[in-house]
Amino acid sequence: MKIGKTTVPASAICTSDDETIVVRGEDLCRDLIGKLGFVDYFFLLVTGQRPSAMASRVLDATLVAIAEHGLVPSVQASRMTLAAAPDALQGAVAAGILGCGSVILGASETAGRLFARIDALASERELALDVAAEEGVRELRAAGQAIPGYGHPLHKARDPRVARLFEVAAEAGTPGRFVAIAEAVERVLPGITGRELRLNVSAAIPAVLLDVGFPLEALKGVPILARTAGLIGHLVEELAQPIGFALSYQATRELRYTGPLPAGWTPKD
Amino acid sequence: MKIGKTTVPASAICTSDDETIVVRGEDLCRDLIGKLGFVDYFFLLVTGQRPSAMASRVLDATLVAIAEHGLVPSVQASRMTLAAAPDALQGAVAAGILGCGSVILGASETAGRLFARIDALASERELALDVAAEEGVRELRAAGQAIPGYGHPLHKARDPRVARLFEVAAEAGTPGRFVAIAEAVERVLPGITGRELRLNVSAAIPAVLLDVGFPLEALKGVPILARTAGLIGHLVEELAQPIGFALSYQATRELRYTGPLPAGWTPKD
Amino acid sequence: MKIGKTTVPASAICTSDDETIVVRGEDLCRDLIGKLGFVDYFFLLVTGQRPSAMASRVLDATLVAIAEHGLVPSVQASRMTLAAAPDALQGAVAAGILGCGSVILGASETAGRLFARIDALASERELALDVAAEEGVRELRAAGQAIPGYGHPLHKARDPRVARLFEVAAEAGTPGRFVAIAEAVERVLPGITGRELRLNVSAAIPAVLLDVGFPLEALKGVPILARTAGLIGHLVEELAQPIGFALSYQATRELRYTGPLPAGWTPKD
Amino acid sequence: MKIGKTTVPASAICTSDDETIVVRGEDLCRDLIGKLGFVDYFFLLVTGQRPSAMASRVLDATLVAIAEHGLVPSVQASRMTLAAAPDALQGAVAAGILGCGSVILGASETAGRLFARIDALASERELALDVAAEEGVRELRAAGQAIPGYGHPLHKARDPRVARLFEVAAEAGTPGRFVAIAEAVERVLPGITGRELRLNVSAAIPAVLLDVGFPLEALKGVPILARTAGLIGHLVEELAQPIGFALSYQATRELRYTGPLPAGWTPKD
């Protein structure tokens, strides 16, 4: 039995022989190692092109902005996993990455899609950004979807990373089109939702990255790569100072059981 | 029921209030975003210290060296996973990272442990490096373990990344102690194993990283972070030009079934 | 900094003291181990109720039907992962489960949602099943979604597991409402899509399970649990007779590199 | 470039044509679906043989025993992952399974290896079980390894699942050799370790399974399959009554930050 597609697979990323490894058309050992920085290499891997100085600076800043924010749920999941399976660091990293979903870090991608839609609406129909933003947001809500990238449980004012990322983007000389779109969304949201929801880092990241030509389809990869660095930091700490099981204990200190009990049984203290 | 440890958890990595995020004692928005590069930030996250210029350069080179090497098994696993679950990029990345195990990329850590042991043997007993290397290798073999980081299925001569990493380390001015140990192991291996096994990239990485003070316990994190970048490159290509199912088809073209068959049944072509 | 919701967590699944473990209101050691079969226990865990004899028989049959179908992509991904990380069986199982996504096994859930929608349409507006099926399918297509659970790359006629599952359901005495809906969809599909797409196992499973009261929200859990059994079978074989790297080699035998090459470089054979 | 092994892959588990699926020599649709229970099918998948009635009963009991024990760390990790990525149930299951490591559920396998070693010692050298048990335990400790499967943070007396599993095994008529070995270890442990460590469920499972011929190499698969059922129960509850973020909040309520602070900065309440 044969499974899958009968086509011959092809890839444009890497080839090699026993002396040379070619990545995206460049000789890895001669042209890249020690010559191109890892962040620029990430851009090259994803897009097939080296980044401009502007794109390099902005991508680097977004990776630093999103790599670490304390013991968020995915970090807790990762540290608990390492506590239970200390021999398999890769498993604990994987568990942490699995929490980079639509609700948390995946908002970078969905916010990016909203901005790209607003950009298209504004361009095609020559709309002012606020008008296009209002239409884009209303479309999303009509489809029953949440507005990604606005509001934060901790940072009620604008997330401080937003201002800093916009500052870096301005310093780097980005065109600022998608930052303007992100701010237009922030302006129209109260009129639509009745709530003051300020730009958070998950909206700022696609705004500055789309302004430097980073592909929409790869946006979700940025928080994943960044968080991998953060997770490794936490896991190295976990190996030295384990708290995975302590977190688990704390989490259940006040846990209530709401199901039925066997007849006549009550738990001992 | 309470689960886990009754201790209060503590971490030295990150704290924050609604205006400020502190990472390793620095203000993320004021001091780090747009000022410290992502690779240096990774070093800071893992160690609590900013890297020296030398350490920064070497760590960056190792990340570039190991990020990508074509459609290796973990990349295939990742692309097949995305083909089956295209909505969950994080799941496909996780599947790829799960292949960073002891046989493949985990060798960076186990080779690093061997080099640290040889370093300790040489220092404590004032042995020449070749003598200490021979003893370290024999200890590992006596414990029934493979020698990690030597030999490569494709690169029969030294993996070309090895020379380049050693060159970058020399240019950066590293002390070279662990590179010398890695080469001592290469010299003594034929006498012990009867086989010419040349240094591969998984041994070169810990050699140059231990020389710049990167912690032994975090070595496995380097290929994991690097490969995450490579995986994201492949997954962005997979979204645009899917080959996950084609790889799967090719893999089983000549598959033989070696189990029993129901009486009287033969498969139709 | 506090993260997450300020509510006290609650769960109705399990509580315990040092002598007794209560699951869904029953004493695990006194009432369940050795008395309730694992498949019935799965039903109890998911729904809070023991299954009827009918539900038990049907759920068991669906788990057997979907557990194993050879070296499908998720099994390949799992075996490649074990080859690279043989110490971490749990990581290889996890890699395989990550391939239970929307395209492959997740179709059980999306097909179930379609059937539930058709059931509601037929009930609320007193429509014949074929009319409701046509409307349900057209809704899905208008939303740009594929029709899940129909067609199979290998089994061009009806997947043989379909007839057998429907037979088991009939023997068990299920009401057959959702089987009738699944067949109505099969009848109307050619008129809508222009293609003969026959019911496959991913549509048969929700049809028979919804007929015995298995919850829609848990449908995706059935292929995941079933495939876990299949994956473990493959991984035990992989430990004894490794093929993970052989699969990987075969997959890339004809791989073409379609990217640029460094000036003047051609690969050696 | 070709990657991996140049051998042709083979497997003895499954083959098929467009009408028939063969698993372990049996016709899936004719002989297995609706005829062989899922637990027996799991035994067949793993071993290539249908289980005896005795083996079937014991395997089923172990799966029920270990499937669920409340909000243990891996369940918390899984529910937090679903809260962050609710669209990807398979990712949350995978995150939970990744916690089935050496410290927690993996003890089933390592305890099984200890029992097999003690069995071999006793047989080869005609030792009494207590003598062989003492020797086996001392070997493990000499190698710097923990004794798996003894002691439990909650159940200070014998874990209640142990007595029940041994009872089921006795009722089923198992030879009891490995149960006797497990109890011999329990007897000799206080003399060796100075601590009363009672048999827990992770030692009872391999004891009863090895007595019915379940392969040592597959032991770790039993808790993984069982926990998958438990995880799905929790995840279905999480979809209806989310507590993933509440657990995360509770876990960090008393979290202390032990790192440095920027000069002059103190967190606001």
mmCIF file of all heavy atoms in Angstrom, chain A residues 1 16 71 73 76 80-81 84 86-87 91 98-99 101-104 247-248 251-255, chain D residues 1 16 71 73 76 80-81 84 87 91 98-99 101-104 247-248 251-255:
data_model
loop_
_atom_site.group_PDB
_atom_site.id
_atom_site.type_symbol
_atom_site.label_atom_id
_atom_site.label_comp_id
_atom_site.label_asym_id
_atom_site.label_seq_id
_atom_site.Cartn_x
_atom_site.Cartn_y
_atom_site.Cartn_z
ATOM 1 N N MET A 1 0.841 -1.209 0.000
ATOM 2 C CA MET A 1 0.000 0.000 0.000
ATOM 3 C C MET A 1 0.870 1.252 0.000
ATOM 4 O O MET A 1 1.794 1.372 0.772
ATOM 5 C CB MET A 1 -0.859 0.025 1.268
ATOM 6 C CG MET A 1 -1.799 1.218 1.298
ATOM 7 S SD MET A 1 -2.760 1.254 2.826
ATOM 8 C CE MET A 1 -1.462 1.388 4.045
ATOM 9 N N SER A 16 23.035 19.932 -0.532
ATOM 10 C CA SER A 16 24.417 19.787 -0.069
ATOM 11 C C SER A 16 25.083 18.617 -0.757
ATOM 12 O O SER A 16 24.434 17.740 -1.321
ATOM 13 C CB SER A 16 24.461 19.584 1.450
ATOM 14 O OG SER A 16 23.715 18.470 1.833
ATOM 15 N N LEU A 71 6.093 33.772 34.209
ATOM 16 C CA LEU A 71 5.545 32.424 34.271
ATOM 17 C C LEU A 71 4.137 32.355 33.688
ATOM 18 O O LEU A 71 3.175 31.968 34.354
ATOM 19 C CB LEU A 71 5.592 31.911 35.710
ATOM 20 C CG LEU A 71 7.006 31.435 36.060
ATOM 21 C CD1 LEU A 71 7.301 31.607 37.535
ATOM 22 C CD2 LEU A 71 7.154 29.989 35.659
ATOM 23 N N PRO A 73 1.142 30.844 31.208
ATOM 24 C CA PRO A 73 0.699 29.446 31.192
ATOM 25 C C PRO A 73 1.604 28.513 30.397
ATOM 26 O O PRO A 73 1.895 27.399 30.855
ATOM 27 C CB PRO A 73 -0.700 29.539 30.565
ATOM 28 C CG PRO A 73 -1.192 30.899 30.965
ATOM 29 C CD PRO A 73 0.026 31.785 30.946
ATOM 30 N N GLN A 76 4.598 27.679 32.438
ATOM 31 C CA GLN A 76 4.240 26.746 33.503
ATOM 32 C C GLN A 76 4.089 25.325 32.959
ATOM 33 O O GLN A 76 4.587 24.362 33.557
ATOM 34 C CB GLN A 76 2.927 27.175 34.166
ATOM 35 C CG GLN A 76 3.026 28.479 34.933
ATOM 36 C CD GLN A 76 1.738 28.764 35.704
ATOM 37 O OE1 GLN A 76 1.059 27.864 36.180
ATOM 38 N NE2 GLN A 76 1.394 30.035 35.817
ATOM 39 N N MET A 80 6.405 22.258 34.219
ATOM 40 C CA MET A 80 5.791 21.051 34.799
ATOM 41 C C MET A 80 6.186 19.821 33.997
ATOM 42 O O MET A 80 6.404 18.748 34.555
ATOM 43 C CB MET A 80 4.264 21.187 34.802
ATOM 44 C CG MET A 80 3.732 22.177 35.822
ATOM 45 S SD MET A 80 1.907 22.246 35.720
ATOM 46 C CE MET A 80 1.592 23.702 36.752
ATOM 47 N N THR A 81 6.249 19.977 32.678
ATOM 48 C CA THR A 81 6.619 18.850 31.821
ATOM 49 C C THR A 81 8.062 18.437 32.086
ATOM 50 O O THR A 81 8.366 17.241 32.176
ATOM 51 C CB THR A 81 6.413 19.223 30.336
ATOM 52 O OG1 THR A 81 5.041 19.608 30.158
ATOM 53 C CG2 THR A 81 6.735 18.068 29.421
ATOM 54 N N ALA A 84 8.434 16.433 35.236
ATOM 55 C CA ALA A 84 7.975 15.048 35.106
ATOM 56 C C ALA A 84 8.851 14.223 34.179
ATOM 57 O O ALA A 84 8.891 13.002 34.290
ATOM 58 C CB ALA A 84 6.531 15.033 34.597
ATOM 59 N N PRO A 86 12.520 14.936 33.117
ATOM 60 C CA PRO A 86 13.712 15.786 33.074
ATOM 61 C C PRO A 86 14.749 15.375 32.035
ATOM 62 O O PRO A 86 15.610 16.174 31.685
ATOM 63 C CB PRO A 86 14.279 15.667 34.487
ATOM 64 C CG PRO A 86 13.679 14.439 35.052
ATOM 65 C CD PRO A 86 12.358 14.239 34.385
ATOM 66 N N ASP A 87 14.660 14.156 31.542
ATOM 67 C CA ASP A 87 15.629 13.704 30.549
ATOM 68 C C ASP A 87 15.334 14.237 29.158
ATOM 69 O O ASP A 87 16.165 14.104 28.266
ATOM 70 C CB ASP A 87 15.624 12.175 30.465
ATOM 71 C CG ASP A 87 15.844 11.555 31.826
ATOM 72 O OD1 ASP A 87 16.571 12.162 32.631
ATOM 73 O OD2 ASP A 87 15.255 10.495 32.083
ATOM 74 N N GLY A 91 11.080 17.700 24.880
ATOM 75 C CA GLY A 91 9.666 17.508 25.159
ATOM 76 C C GLY A 91 9.081 18.670 25.936
ATOM 77 O O GLY A 91 7.951 19.099 25.688
ATOM 78 N N LEU A 98 3.452 24.361 22.269
ATOM 79 C CA LEU A 98 2.062 23.987 21.954
ATOM 80 C C LEU A 98 1.060 24.979 22.528
ATOM 81 O O LEU A 98 -0.089 25.028 22.103
ATOM 82 C CB LEU A 98 1.776 22.565 22.450
ATOM 83 C CG LEU A 98 2.465 21.493 21.609
ATOM 84 C CD1 LEU A 98 2.386 20.130 22.281
ATOM 85 C CD2 LEU A 98 1.851 21.433 20.214
ATOM 86 N N GLY A 99 1.493 25.794 23.484
ATOM 87 C CA GLY A 99 0.631 26.849 24.013
ATOM 88 C C GLY A 99 0.696 28.150 23.226
ATOM 89 O O GLY A 99 0.059 29.130 23.608
ATOM 90 N N GLY A 101 -0.907 29.273 20.831
ATOM 91 C CA GLY A 101 -2.087 29.055 20.006
ATOM 92 C C GLY A 101 -2.828 30.328 19.712
ATOM 93 O O GLY A 101 -2.339 31.443 19.951
ATOM 94 N N SER A 102 -4.038 30.158 19.207
ATOM 95 C CA SER A 102 -4.811 31.292 18.721
ATOM 96 C C SER A 102 -5.091 32.314 19.812
ATOM 97 O O SER A 102 -5.125 33.518 19.555
ATOM 98 C CB SER A 102 -6.126 30.788 18.116
ATOM 99 O OG SER A 102 -6.806 29.965 19.046
ATOM 100 N N VAL A 103 -5.292 31.881 21.047
ATOM 101 C CA VAL A 103 -5.674 32.812 22.102
ATOM 102 C C VAL A 103 -4.477 33.636 22.572
ATOM 103 O O VAL A 103 -4.604 34.811 22.891
ATOM 104 C CB VAL A 103 -6.291 32.044 23.296
ATOM 105 C CG1 VAL A 103 -6.490 32.958 24.486
ATOM 106 C CG2 VAL A 103 -7.611 31.424 22.876
ATOM 107 N N ILE A 104 -3.342 33.028 22.638
ATOM 108 C CA ILE A 104 -2.192 33.730 23.195
ATOM 109 C C ILE A 104 -1.322 34.295 22.076
ATOM 110 O O ILE A 104 -1.619 35.336 21.524
ATOM 111 C CB ILE A 104 -1.379 32.796 24.127
ATOM 112 C CG1 ILE A 104 -2.302 32.209 25.204
ATOM 113 C CG2 ILE A 104 -0.208 33.515 24.739
ATOM 114 C CD1 ILE A 104 -2.528 33.064 26.405
ATOM 115 N N LEU A 247 4.588 24.729 41.416
ATOM 116 C CA LEU A 247 3.540 25.437 40.670
ATOM 117 C C LEU A 247 2.270 24.604 40.622
ATOM 118 O O LEU A 247 1.156 25.107 40.800
ATOM 119 C CB LEU A 247 4.008 25.719 39.240
ATOM 120 C CG LEU A 247 5.087 26.787 39.076
ATOM 121 C CD1 LEU A 247 5.670 26.717 37.671
ATOM 122 C CD2 LEU A 247 4.545 28.174 39.365
ATOM 123 N N SER A 248 2.457 23.323 40.389
ATOM 124 C CA SER A 248 1.321 22.410 40.287
ATOM 125 C C SER A 248 0.577 22.331 41.624
ATOM 126 O O SER A 248 -0.659 22.318 41.668
ATOM 127 C CB SER A 248 1.866 21.052 39.874
ATOM 128 O OG SER A 248 0.902 20.071 39.973
ATOM 129 N N ALA A 251 -1.328 25.593 42.178
ATOM 130 C CA ALA A 251 -2.474 25.727 41.267
ATOM 131 C C ALA A 251 -3.708 25.033 41.809
ATOM 132 O O ALA A 251 -4.839 25.422 41.505
ATOM 133 C CB ALA A 251 -2.112 25.161 39.890
ATOM 134 N N THR A 252 -3.502 23.992 42.611
ATOM 135 C CA THR A 252 -4.638 23.184 43.066
ATOM 136 C C THR A 252 -4.957 23.384 44.543
ATOM 137 O O THR A 252 -5.768 22.646 45.100
ATOM 138 C CB THR A 252 -4.359 21.681 42.808
ATOM 139 O OG1 THR A 252 -3.105 21.342 43.413
ATOM 140 C CG2 THR A 252 -4.306 21.374 41.330
ATOM 141 N N ARG A 253 -4.324 24.388 45.168
ATOM 142 C CA ARG A 253 -4.547 24.579 46.611
ATOM 143 C C ARG A 253 -6.006 24.807 46.948
ATOM 144 O O ARG A 253 -6.480 24.374 47.987
ATOM 145 C CB ARG A 253 -3.741 25.783 47.108
ATOM 146 C CG ARG A 253 -2.350 25.422 47.524
ATOM 147 C CD ARG A 253 -1.578 26.647 47.934
ATOM 148 N NE ARG A 253 -2.175 27.318 49.076
ATOM 149 C CZ ARG A 253 -1.753 28.476 49.572
ATOM 150 N NH1 ARG A 253 -0.727 29.082 48.995
ATOM 151 N NH2 ARG A 253 -2.342 29.024 50.596
ATOM 152 N N GLU A 254 -6.699 25.535 46.089
ATOM 153 C CA GLU A 254 -8.101 25.837 46.389
ATOM 154 C C GLU A 254 -9.060 25.112 45.454
ATOM 155 O O GLU A 254 -10.244 25.442 45.386
ATOM 156 C CB GLU A 254 -8.327 27.352 46.287
ATOM 157 C CG GLU A 254 -7.428 28.144 47.209
ATOM 158 C CD GLU A 254 -7.867 29.599 47.307
ATOM 159 O OE1 GLU A 254 -9.085 29.857 47.346
ATOM 160 O OE2 GLU A 254 -6.986 30.474 47.331
ATOM 161 N N LEU A 255 -8.536 24.153 44.736
ATOM 162 C CA LEU A 255 -9.356 23.421 43.769
ATOM 163 C C LEU A 255 -10.604 22.838 44.439
ATOM 164 O O LEU A 255 -10.526 22.223 45.492
ATOM 165 C CB LEU A 255 -8.515 22.279 43.189
ATOM 166 C CG LEU A 255 -9.185 21.398 42.145
ATOM 167 C CD1 LEU A 255 -9.482 22.168 40.880
ATOM 168 C CD2 LEU A 255 -8.303 20.196 41.844
ATOM 169 N N MET D 1 20.896 15.423 -2.259
ATOM 170 C CA MET D 1 21.361 14.843 -1.001
ATOM 171 C C MET D 1 20.346 13.836 -0.473
ATOM 172 O O MET D 1 19.163 14.121 -0.400
ATOM 173 C CB MET D 1 21.519 15.938 0.044
ATOM 174 C CG MET D 1 22.054 15.410 1.352
ATOM 175 S SD MET D 1 22.187 16.717 2.590
ATOM 176 C CE MET D 1 20.489 17.254 2.697
ATOM 177 N N SER D 16 -2.743 -3.346 3.208
ATOM 178 C CA SER D 16 -4.118 -3.209 2.743
ATOM 179 C C SER D 16 -4.162 -3.096 1.235
ATOM 180 O O SER D 16 -3.163 -2.791 0.582
ATOM 181 C CB SER D 16 -4.793 -1.983 3.371
ATOM 182 O OG SER D 16 -4.091 -0.815 3.080
ATOM 183 N N LEU D 71 -6.018 16.508 38.959
ATOM 184 C CA LEU D 71 -5.278 17.553 38.250
ATOM 185 C C LEU D 71 -3.778 17.470 38.502
ATOM 186 O O LEU D 71 -3.144 18.406 39.000
ATOM 187 C CB LEU D 71 -5.846 18.926 38.615
ATOM 188 C CG LEU D 71 -7.132 19.200 37.823
ATOM 189 C CD1 LEU D 71 -8.073 20.082 38.598
ATOM 190 C CD2 LEU D 71 -6.783 19.821 36.493
ATOM 191 N N PRO D 73 0.236 17.273 37.423
ATOM 192 C CA PRO D 73 0.921 18.266 36.590
ATOM 193 C C PRO D 73 0.670 18.109 35.090
ATOM 194 O O PRO D 73 0.444 19.108 34.388
ATOM 195 C CB PRO D 73 2.396 18.047 36.938
ATOM 196 C CG PRO D 73 2.375 17.559 38.353
ATOM 197 C CD PRO D 73 1.138 16.711 38.468
ATOM 198 N N GLN D 76 -2.669 19.505 34.241
ATOM 199 C CA GLN D 76 -2.631 20.973 34.286
ATOM 200 C C GLN D 76 -1.968 21.528 33.023
ATOM 201 O O GLN D 76 -2.451 22.494 32.421
ATOM 202 C CB GLN D 76 -1.854 21.445 35.513
ATOM 203 C CG GLN D 76 -2.556 21.142 36.828
ATOM 204 C CD GLN D 76 -1.839 21.796 38.001
ATOM 205 O OE1 GLN D 76 -1.283 22.875 37.877
ATOM 206 N NE2 GLN D 76 -1.851 21.128 39.146
ATOM 207 N N MET D 80 -3.899 23.975 30.454
ATOM 208 C CA MET D 80 -3.360 25.309 30.142
ATOM 209 C C MET D 80 -3.100 25.446 28.643
ATOM 210 O O MET D 80 -3.310 26.508 28.056
ATOM 211 C CB MET D 80 -2.059 25.548 30.905
ATOM 212 C CG MET D 80 -2.247 25.757 32.395
ATOM 213 S SD MET D 80 -0.630 26.042 33.196
ATOM 214 C CE MET D 80 -1.108 25.867 34.929
ATOM 215 N N THR D 81 -2.618 24.374 28.036
ATOM 216 C CA THR D 81 -2.331 24.407 26.600
ATOM 217 C C THR D 81 -3.616 24.564 25.804
ATOM 218 O O THR D 81 -3.673 25.346 24.842
ATOM 219 C CB THR D 81 -1.572 23.128 26.188
ATOM 220 O OG1 THR D 81 -0.379 23.036 26.967
ATOM 221 C CG2 THR D 81 -1.213 23.140 24.712
ATOM 222 N N ALA D 84 -4.899 28.084 25.848
ATOM 223 C CA ALA D 84 -4.153 28.986 24.975
ATOM 224 C C ALA D 84 -4.352 28.667 23.498
ATOM 225 O O ALA D 84 -4.178 29.535 22.653
ATOM 226 C CB ALA D 84 -2.667 28.929 25.313
ATOM 227 N N ASP D 87 -8.254 25.567 19.524
ATOM 228 C CA ASP D 87 -8.573 24.941 18.247
ATOM 229 C C ASP D 87 -7.812 23.639 18.023
ATOM 230 O O ASP D 87 -8.113 22.913 17.089
ATOM 231 C CB ASP D 87 -8.203 25.887 17.084
ATOM 232 C CG ASP D 87 -8.857 27.234 17.263
ATOM 233 O OD1 ASP D 87 -9.981 27.289 17.814
ATOM 234 O OD2 ASP D 87 -8.240 28.241 16.874
ATOM 235 N N GLY D 91 -2.954 19.157 20.171
ATOM 236 C CA GLY D 91 -1.794 19.785 20.798
ATOM 237 C C GLY D 91 -1.867 19.708 22.307
ATOM 238 O O GLY D 91 -0.855 19.481 22.974
ATOM 239 N N LEU D 98 3.478 14.510 26.978
ATOM 240 C CA LEU D 98 4.911 14.817 27.141
ATOM 241 C C LEU D 98 5.326 14.794 28.620
ATOM 242 O O LEU D 98 6.506 14.697 28.929
ATOM 243 C CB LEU D 98 5.242 16.159 26.493
ATOM 244 C CG LEU D 98 5.228 16.096 24.962
ATOM 245 C CD1 LEU D 98 5.280 17.495 24.359
ATOM 246 C CD2 LEU D 98 6.387 15.251 24.447
ATOM 247 N N GLY D 99 4.363 14.873 29.517
ATOM 248 C CA GLY D 99 4.662 14.751 30.943
ATOM 249 C C GLY D 99 4.679 13.319 31.448
ATOM 250 O O GLY D 99 4.860 13.091 32.643
ATOM 251 N N GLY D 101 6.896 11.176 31.713
ATOM 252 C CA GLY D 101 8.326 10.963 31.632
ATOM 253 C C GLY D 101 8.848 10.076 32.735
ATOM 254 O O GLY D 101 8.091 9.434 33.465
ATOM 255 N N SER D 102 10.150 10.064 32.872
ATOM 256 C CA SER D 102 10.807 9.128 33.779
ATOM 257 C C SER D 102 10.372 9.314 35.224
ATOM 258 O O SER D 102 10.270 8.365 35.986
ATOM 259 C CB SER D 102 12.326 9.280 33.653
ATOM 260 O OG SER D 102 12.692 10.641 33.835
ATOM 261 N N VAL D 103 10.082 10.557 35.638
ATOM 262 C CA VAL D 103 9.763 10.795 37.043
ATOM 263 C C VAL D 103 8.349 10.343 37.366
ATOM 264 O O VAL D 103 8.087 9.826 38.438
ATOM 265 C CB VAL D 103 9.931 12.293 37.388
ATOM 266 C CG1 VAL D 103 9.394 12.596 38.766
ATOM 267 C CG2 VAL D 103 11.404 12.680 37.291
ATOM 268 N N ILE D 104 7.448 10.571 36.465
ATOM 269 C CA ILE D 104 6.048 10.271 36.771
ATOM 270 C C ILE D 104 5.664 8.904 36.201
ATOM 271 O O ILE D 104 5.958 7.880 36.805
ATOM 272 C CB ILE D 104 5.121 11.381 36.214
ATOM 273 C CG1 ILE D 104 5.577 12.749 36.757
ATOM 274 C CG2 ILE D 104 3.678 11.100 36.567
ATOM 275 C CD1 ILE D 104 5.050 13.112 38.101
ATOM 276 N N LEU D 247 -5.982 27.993 36.822
ATOM 277 C CA LEU D 247 -4.886 27.203 37.398
ATOM 278 C C LEU D 247 -3.580 27.983 37.320
ATOM 279 O O LEU D 247 -2.787 28.018 38.265
ATOM 280 C CB LEU D 247 -4.726 25.880 36.645
ATOM 281 C CG LEU D 247 -5.827 24.837 36.854
ATOM 282 C CD1 LEU D 247 -5.697 23.738 35.813
ATOM 283 C CD2 LEU D 247 -5.762 24.250 38.263
ATOM 284 N N SER D 248 -3.375 28.605 36.183
ATOM 285 C CA SER D 248 -2.151 29.358 35.961
ATOM 286 C C SER D 248 -2.063 30.542 36.935
ATOM 287 O O SER D 248 -1.003 30.845 37.493
ATOM 288 C CB SER D 248 -2.161 29.836 34.515
ATOM 289 O OG SER D 248 -1.153 30.750 34.280
ATOM 290 N N ALA D 251 -1.323 29.223 40.440
ATOM 291 C CA ALA D 251 0.049 28.715 40.552
ATOM 292 C C ALA D 251 1.041 29.819 40.871
ATOM 293 O O ALA D 251 2.082 29.581 41.493
ATOM 294 C CB ALA D 251 0.445 28.000 39.259
ATOM 295 N N THR D 252 0.720 31.038 40.444
ATOM 296 C CA THR D 252 1.689 32.131 40.595
ATOM 297 C C THR D 252 1.277 33.148 41.660
ATOM 298 O O THR D 252 1.901 34.203 41.770
ATOM 299 C CB THR D 252 1.870 32.863 39.245
ATOM 300 O OG1 THR D 252 0.584 33.274 38.773
ATOM 301 C CG2 THR D 252 2.535 31.975 38.222
ATOM 302 N N ARG D 253 0.239 32.833 42.428
ATOM 303 C CA ARG D 253 -0.233 33.803 43.425
ATOM 304 C C ARG D 253 0.847 34.203 44.403
ATOM 305 O O ARG D 253 0.916 35.341 44.846
ATOM 306 C CB ARG D 253 -1.408 33.226 44.215
ATOM 307 C CG ARG D 253 -2.732 33.489 43.555
ATOM 308 C CD ARG D 253 -3.846 32.834 44.314
ATOM 309 N NE ARG D 253 -3.962 33.368 45.677
ATOM 310 C CZ ARG D 253 -4.797 32.888 46.580
ATOM 311 N NH1 ARG D 253 -5.568 31.860 46.284
ATOM 312 N NH2 ARG D 253 -4.862 33.426 47.769
ATOM 313 N N GLU D 254 1.672 33.253 44.797
ATOM 314 C CA GLU D 254 2.698 33.560 45.792
ATOM 315 C C GLU D 254 4.099 33.544 45.196
ATOM 316 O O GLU D 254 5.096 33.530 45.924
ATOM 317 C CB GLU D 254 2.630 32.546 46.947
ATOM 318 C CG GLU D 254 1.264 32.527 47.612
ATOM 319 C CD GLU D 254 1.288 31.743 48.915
ATOM 320 O OE1 GLU D 254 2.294 31.848 49.661
ATOM 321 O OE2 GLU D 254 0.325 31.016 49.181
ATOM 322 N N LEU D 255 4.159 33.545 43.889
ATOM 323 C CA LEU D 255 5.459 33.480 43.206
ATOM 324 C C LEU D 255 6.369 34.602 43.683
ATOM 325 O O LEU D 255 5.971 35.762 43.756
ATOM 326 C CB LEU D 255 5.214 33.619 41.702
ATOM 327 C CG LEU D 255 6.445 33.571 40.805
ATOM 328 C CD1 LEU D 255 7.070 32.192 40.820
ATOM 329 C CD2 LEU D 255 6.065 33.944 39.373
#
